[in-house]
Amino acid sequence: MKECNKCGESKELTKFYYREDRDAFENICRTCQSAATSALRSKPENVAKRKDQLRDSNLRLNYGINLKEYNVMYESQLGCCAICGIEEKHSSRQRLVVDHDHETLAVRSLLCGQCNVGLGHFKENQDFLANAIDYLKRFNT
């Protein structure tokens, strides 16, 4: 049995997290720790910070850029898609997405969801896109 320093209740050791680095059990029970963590995470300033951390981590992992580099690209594009020019707030997705070359993995720019998917459907092939333009011109009324 062990007493929790937070709630003062005596509980079995299984109700406490074990810290291998200290070779000891925590002084606060799992229930109290979970409640404290939830309260901390729900604070608006911590929620925003956590979202930014996750976004930064995903950008680094998937595209090799960080959130600061994304924001620089975003500002240089004035918050608009590099292809169609739609503002992010009018885009079908919440954010502009990072477009990259799937062979070299080089980041190109930020696109709205529709333009990004469109390039994907054309397999990023310039000939296919040129053919699509010619097709549309032929049937332009």
Side-chain angles (χ1 to χ4, degrees), residues 71-117:
N71 289 335
V72 167
M73 289 173 65
Y74 182 88
E75 292 299 322
S76 70
Q77 291 181 211
L78 304 175
C80 298
C81 173
I83 293 177
C84 71
I86 193 171
E87 289 183 63
E88 178 181 72
K89 63 184 175 186
H90 300 299
S91 163
S92 60
R93 295 186 77 161
Q94 284 187 325
R95 291 189 188 267
L96 295 177
V97 297
V98 177
D99 178 47
H100 66 286
D101 185 303
H102 287 95
E103 288 183 21
T104 67
L105 302 180
V107 171
R108 294 188 279 228
S109 64
L110 304 178
L111 302 178
C112 70
Q114 288 181 318
C115 289
N116 190 48
V117 169

Side-chain angles (χ1 to χ4, degrees), residues 122 126-139:
F122 281 102
Q126 292 180 15
D127 293 331
F128 292 169
L129 288 165
N131 291 342
I133 291 168
D134 291 340
Y135 173 85
L136 289 173
K137 285 180 180 176
R138 266 188 295 164
F139 293 100

